[in-house]
Amino acid sequence: MAFWRKNFSGFLPRLRTIHSSINSEGTAAYTQLLGIHVLHCPDVVGIVSKVSECIAFRGANIHSVDVFVPENKQVFYSRSEFVFDPASWPRDVMDNDFMNIGKLFQAERSVVRVPDADPKFKISILASKQDHCLVDVLHGWQDGRLPVDINCVISNHDRSPNTHVVRFLERNGIPYYFMPTSSVDKREKEILNLVKGSDFLVLARYMQVERVSHRDTLESFVAKSENLEKQCLRKAIKSYCELRVLPYEGKKTVVF
């Protein structure tokens, strides 16, 4: 099958939070939550139809469906967003419905997540000497822009106890570990022990290409790179939490 990717979005406005209406007696008449389902299975006819049928049968509304089928490969990936009433579609029933779909299509992965009801993802942060990415993640966590819980921060740079970062971590009860490494000793076993229980690791610096010109100075280069690093890292964390990043052929990924 040739490569194809479709986005069936725009059916309804996206809902990112819990919504409810109030009836004439002043009580909540219904509540709607956002649900996300991702599927990875062999490519056959009727997968999107079956997923849509399942969601519609439970009285839920689909907001978007993203599909990816690699060229010349019999493999199928999809990510669906929908809103539903938990009173009409309890979570255990939802899990069972999507589990059955996974079994029907012999899926390698069939996962459902309700961001406003499920536990937040637990992360551990590995930080370098520069603080800008670490600070941005911490502030994003503090003001609720990043839907995660932070298990710990590990750094190969020894920060003074009086720095604003260390004081912030202490105030919020987040453990901080100084872990000096070398080309000979990466201390991977110690780091793995510290990050046990984390859903994923965040590397708090990641460089990318940005548009520059001969008018840029050293200071403007630094400012551009720091802003880009923060934006990339914040977007990557949110995308992972929203099940937009799926493993594909070992070291590759599918990004919806």
Side-chain angles (χ1 to χ4, degrees):
M1 176 179 285
F3 168 88
W4 59 280
R5 184 178 186 278
K6 295 183 179 179
N7 180 287
F8 305 91
S9 58
F11 298 162
L12 293 171
R14 291 174 178 263
L15 298 181
R16 308 305 301 180
T17 55
I18 300 174
H19 294 262
S20 63
S21 68
I22 305 299
N23 61 24
S24 59
E25 297 177 352
T27 58
Y30 65 88
T31 300
Q32 287 194 319
L33 297 178
L34 172 71
I36 302 170
H37 175 249
V38 297
L39 183 67
H40 172 201
C41 65
D43 184 34
V44 295
V45 174
I47 301 175
V48 173
S49 174
K50 194 66 177 180
V51 172
S52 302
E53 178 186 347
C54 170
I55 294 172
F57 178 76
R58 297 298 183 180
N61 289 323
I62 296 175
H63 280 183
S64 66
V65 178
D66 286 301
V67 170
F68 171 64
V69 178
E71 185 176 4
N72 299 323
K73 295 182 183 292
Q74 290 298 113
V75 63
F76 175 94
Y77 296 85
S78 72
R79 178 185 181 276
S80 307
E81 284 192 5
F82 54 92
V83 289
F84 69 100
D85 181 353
S88 301
W89 200 6
R91 183 54 192 277
D92 58 338
V93 177
M94 177 185 295
D95 288 339
N96 187 67
D97 286 344
F98 285 118
M99 180 184 68
N100 289 335
I101 288 178
K103 289 180 179 179
L104 177 64
F105 293 108
Q106 300 178 338
E108 292 188 27
R109 189 183 190 199
S110 178
V111 179
V112 63
R113 180 165 176 79
V114 181
D116 290 315
D118 291 352
K120 295 180 180 178
F121 284 110
K122 293 181 173 61
I123 69 171
S124 293
I125 304 174
L126 275 61
S128 62
K129 181 177 181 179
Q130 288 77 14
D131 283 339
H132 56 282
C133 283
L134 173 59
V135 170
D136 189 68
V137 172
L138 294 175
H139 287 168
W141 165 78
Q142 185 180 47
D143 62 23
R145 287 181 293 121
L146 293 178
V148 297
D149 285 330
I150 303 175
N151 279 349
C152 68
V153 174
I154 302 171
S155 179
N156 58 2
H157 175 69
D158 190 13
R159 289 172 170 80
S160 166
N162 294 321
T163 61
H164 67 289
V165 170
V166 175
R167 292 198 302 269
F168 179 95
L169 296 174
E170 289 177 347
R171 286 196 306 271
N172 290 279
I174 300 173
Y176 172 74
Y177 302 101
F178 168 49
M179 191 71 63
T181 61
S182 67
S183 58
V184 178
D185 184 8
K186 300 295 186 180
R187 307 185 69 174
E188 292 181 354
K189 289 184 179 180
E190 295 171 83
I191 293 174
L192 289 175
N193 283 330
L194 292 175
V195 302
K196 282 182 177 178
S198 301
D199 292 300
F200 62 96
L201 305 182
V202 173
L203 307 182
R205 283 202 76 204
Y206 185 76
M207 296 296 292
Q208 287 287 348
V209 176
E210 167 74 356
R211 186 177 181 86
V212 296
S213 77
H214 62 279
R215 297 182 180 85
D216 278 301
T217 64
L218 177 60
E219 290 75 16
S220 67
F221 277 129
V222 171
K224 284 184 176 182
S225 64
E226 289 184 351
N227 286 333
L228 190 59
E229 285 175 336
K230 291 187 291 187
Q231 293 170 16
C232 288
L233 186 61
R234 193 185 318 125
K235 184 176 181 179
I237 294 173
K238 290 189 67 176
S239 294
Y240 190 95
C241 291
E242 294 173 355
L243 305 185
R244 295 183 183 276
V245 183
L246 308 180
Y248 168 57
E249 289 191 342
K251 296 183 179 180
K252 298 179 182 180
T253 55
V254 175
V255 181
F256 286 124

